[in-house]
Amino acid sequence: MPLRPARMRLTGWGRYRQGVSLVVRPEKLSELKEVLDAGHRPILARGLGRSYGDAALNDGGIVVDLTRLNRILSFDRQSGKLCCEAGVTFADLLESFLPRGFFPPVIPGTKFVTLGGALAADIHGKNHHRDSSFSAHVDSFRLLTACGEIKQCSRSEHSELFWATVGGMGLTGIIIDLEFRLRPIDSAYLREEIRPLDSLENTVKMLDLLERDYEFSVAWIDCASFGPKFGRSVAMFANFATRAEVEKAGIRLPLDVHRTRPLTIPFDFPTGAINDFTVRAFNEAYYNLHRRRTQPRFVHVESFFFPLDRLGNWNRLYGRRGLLQYQCALPNRDGQRAVIEILEQLARSRVASSLAVLKKLGRQEGMLTFPVPGYTLAMDFPARDASLKLFEQLDEIVLRYGGRIYLAKDASMSPESFRRMYPDFNAWLNVKKQVDPLGSFSSQLSRRLGIDAALAS
Ligand SMILES: Cc1cc2nc3c(=O)[nH]c(=O)nc-3n(C[C@H](O)[C@H](O)[C@H](O)COP(=O)(O)OP(=O)(O)OC[C@H]3O[C@@H](n4cnc5c(N)ncnc54)[C@H](O)[C@@H]3O)c2cc1C
């Protein structure tokens, strides 16, 4: 191997799944190609490791850390078109482009995600109901395939490979660089409105009712207080504010970057620190704090989009056993009923979710991409047997309603559920067979879900 690999134990963000791999960190395309040419397999790209489960893990194989391939290659101010390497992060984009009045078209709930990771998971944001997922804004990318060839992929060139790679979780090759469009903004602030709601039914209704009026919407749901408080929520709606609006409100630097250094947790909290009691207390406090904030206010993008980033490695709060996130997408038809049924099952099981959010989803293209027009519900849990047992029950409900689990968050789905949830898997597998017939690109996720076995059969 040309670059000296380091043997490392890696985890997903949830720290529940882990694997030992040889990790290389190429800095140039030539080094990346040398890694592939060296012939060691299985191989997998990794960004900042923000996928929760085992999507970025490759126990016993090679992990190619892309974070040093992080150069911005070109930017056209007129069109907002940006070309950059896959290791560039959303944090880098904000730092460079927010002061110039440009913003990513889709942004996840943390800015510590690489663009390669964002495309491989085809991430969605709080604006999916309007603007779809990240791939909808990507014009093209270059992919390094298993035989060492570089393919330029777009909707017109190698289009099947384009659609198999977005949401393909790194299994078709390594995204080297990509071209996509930033959107112009007038200020780095959003005008946010908060609606406290007393029931889940009202929350879903409100998200439906206001989807045309607001570009960004999300509802935090209290899934820890059982009884009459169960399912109450705080729904947040926002649009970008104009420069004139924020200046009128006394904000003197409408396009400033907020560089607050995140607090870090220096050690793992004891297992059990996040328990029913602490979660219930947090939910009560959160609801009461936001219940009174009903006046519209201006919030900086950092506060609106990345509240969790204020606490650097907050995943350590869950202790050594880690956390699990259950995120499902539920199609519009009966979607409301499905969300309610899932939360009713949660209430029956008495497993408290420490954080639960509901979003609306809009149109979507792709083969293994997660969103379907409807709703997405994401819930965090301490990694415990009771949580995993609950997930099995929830998978049944999600399947019954024609929904699916997000591969970037998953740590427990069965191969059978995966095949039923992703009906375009066979089309995807045909593309994989063409570009990577020997299964050089593989992950713990692909092995657990039977993807590698399907390729070999
Ligand atoms: C706090 C938090 C909030 C989040 N909020 C959202 C959200 O709102 N919406 C959303 O959609 N997701 C969200 N996520 C999930 C996150 O956006 C995805 O898991 C994303 O893929 C992580 O990117 P990464 O750079 O950390 O990649 P990793 O986690 O390292 O890798 C993720 C996948 O991408 C592949 N990959 C990475 N780089 C490349 C590359 N260059 N070429 C090919 N494949 C590659 C890996 O093989 C792996 O399969 C959130 C995660 C966290 C921790």
Side-chain angles (χ1 to χ4, degrees):
M1 177 97 47
L3 293 169
R4 197 175 297 165
R7 195 179 152 79
M8 288 174 77
R9 179 173 293 279
L10 299 171
T11 70
W13 182 249
R15 300 172 79 220
Y16 170 68
R17 296 275 178 196
Q18 38 184 279
V20 177
S21 303
L22 291 179
V23 180
V24 284
R25 297 185 75 198
E27 220 169 295
K28 296 184 269 186
L29 177 56
S30 55
E31 291 175 350
L32 179 60
K33 285 175 85 173
E34 281 173 31
V35 174
L36 214 74
D37 291 345
H40 297 276
R41 303 287 190 267
I43 194 162
L44 184 72
R46 180 174 166 106
L48 279 173
R50 261 26 182 218
S51 43
Y52 278 65
D54 46 9
L57 301 180
N58 189 15
D59 191 45
I62 308 287
V63 164
V64 188
D65 177 330
L66 267 292
T67 53
R68 281 190 183 157
L69 271 172
N70 62 349
R71 279 160 285 246
I72 289 178
L73 304 173
S74 66
F75 178 61
D76 175 26
R77 219 192 139 80
Q78 287 302 316
S79 60
K81 202 174 254 198
L82 174 71
C83 184
C84 59
E85 290 179 337
V88 168
T89 66
F90 284 94
D92 299 331
L93 292 185
L94 295 189
E95 189 71 31
S96 300
F97 292 100
L98 204 55
R100 298 198 233 173
F102 286 93
F103 196 70
V106 168
I107 198 143
T110 169
K111 63 182 175 180
F112 302 114
V113 161
T114 64
L115 295 173
L119 193 56
D122 198 8
I123 59 153
H124 57 277
K126 295 181 175 74
N127 57 342
H128 189 279
H129 58 284
R130 281 233 195 149
D131 301 321
S132 192
S133 61
F134 185 52
S135 65
H137 310 270
V138 172
D139 294 326
S140 64
F141 56 83
R142 288 197 302 160
L143 187 75
L144 183 61
T145 59
C147 64
E149 226 183 300
I150 295 178
K151 299 237 191 230
Q152 178 80 25
C153 303
S154 68
R155 285 170 183 75
S156 54
E157 211 177 340
H158 301 299
S159 72
E160 285 209 315
L161 191 51
F162 179 94
W163 290 116
T165 301
V166 307
M169 306 309 292
L171 299 172
T172 56
I174 300 180
I175 300 160
I176 304 164
D177 45 39
L178 58 155
E179 198 166 71
F180 66 104
R181 282 152 285 137
L182 295 177
R183 54 174 290 178
I185 49 167
D186 215 18
S187 86
Y189 289 81
L190 296 119
R191 188 175 184 279
E192 180 196 52
E193 288 191 37
I194 288 184
R195 310 271 172 114
L197 297 156
D198 59 0
S199 71
L200 191 62
E201 285 83 352
N202 287 339
T203 308
V204 175
K205 269 188 208 149
M206 192 61 79
L207 287 177
D208 286 349
L209 188 72
L210 296 183
E211 71 174 319
R212 280 178 212 282
D213 299 340
Y214 293 92
E215 185 170 358
F216 303 100
S217 64
V218 63
W220 163 90
I221 300 175
D222 184 354
C223 289
S225 308
F226 299 111
K229 291 178 182 172
F230 185 82
R232 65 185 173 170
S233 77
V234 176
M236 295 157 201
F237 301 92
N239 287 319
F240 268 105
T242 62
R243 173 182 277 264
E245 279 174 322
V246 298
E247 281 178 349
K248 201 169 159 203
I251 297 166
R252 277 186 290 147
L253 297 168
L255 285 169
D256 63 335
V257 179
H258 283 187
R259 290 185 195 89
T260 36
R261 266 187 62 193
L263 296 169
T264 50
I265 299 172
F267 54 85
D268 291 329
F269 267 45
T271 301
I274 303 276
N275 55 44
D276 292 1
F277 175 75
T278 50
V279 165
R280 216 163 289 150
F282 169 80
N283 276 258
E284 190 69 36
Y286 188 92
Y287 183 77
N288 284 322
L289 179 73
H290 286 82
R291 193 163 56 104
R292 297 187 196 99
R293 285 199 180 146
T294 47
Q295 286 301 314
R297 58 179 192 146
F298 294 108
V299 281
H300 191 265
V301 288
E302 295 267 349
S303 315
F304 184 78
F305 291 108
F306 321 119
L308 291 171
D309 284 350
R310 279 182 221 146
L311 203 54
N313 43 359
W314 58 264
N315 51 355
R316 297 186 86 172
L317 290 172
Y318 286 80
R320 279 176 189 274
R321 286 179 69 183
L323 82 139
L324 297 163
Q325 184 172 104
Y326 190 87
Q327 182 168 7
C328 57
L330 299 154
N332 264 327
R333 205 173 66 88
D334 299 330
Q336 294 192 14
R337 183 64 233 143
V339 174
I340 290 167
E341 210 173 300
I342 285 174
L343 293 187
E344 281 171 355
Q345 180 63 39
L346 185 67
R348 266 196 302 277
S349 74
R350 295 253 150 194
V351 179
S353 161
S354 40
L355 188 72
V357 292
L358 181 68
K359 295 190 247 195
K360 282 237 53 172
L361 297 173
R363 71 198 154 79
Q364 183 63 51
E365 285 181 272
M367 295 179 184
L368 289 189
T369 46
F370 163 71
V372 291
Y375 306 88
T376 177
L377 180 64
M379 300 177 284
D380 286 359
F381 299 89
R384 290 191 204 134
D385 293 346
S387 310
L388 291 164
K389 201 164 167 1
L390 170 71
F391 290 6
E392 283 174 23
Q393 294 160 347
L394 298 185
D395 282 355
E396 283 308 312
I397 302 174
V398 171
L399 275 166
R400 195 149 30 81
Y401 283 95
R404 57 178 58 160
I405 302 299
Y406 192 9
L407 299 179
K409 307 285 180 75
D410 175 56
S412 67
M413 190 179 12
S414 70
E416 296 72 34
S417 296
F418 167 67
R419 292 293 281 270
R420 288 168 66 196
M421 287 179 186
Y422 284 87
D424 293 334
F425 173 67
N426 283 336
W428 181 87
L429 193 62
N430 282 338
V431 182
K432 168 91 173 161
K433 279 180 179 160
Q434 285 162 31
V435 285
D436 183 18
L438 301 177
S440 297
F441 291 102
S442 166
S443 63
Q444 279 166 243
L445 174 98
S446 72
R447 300 193 277 276
R448 177 170 57 81
L449 295 182
I451 295 176
D452 291 23
L455 180 72
S457 67

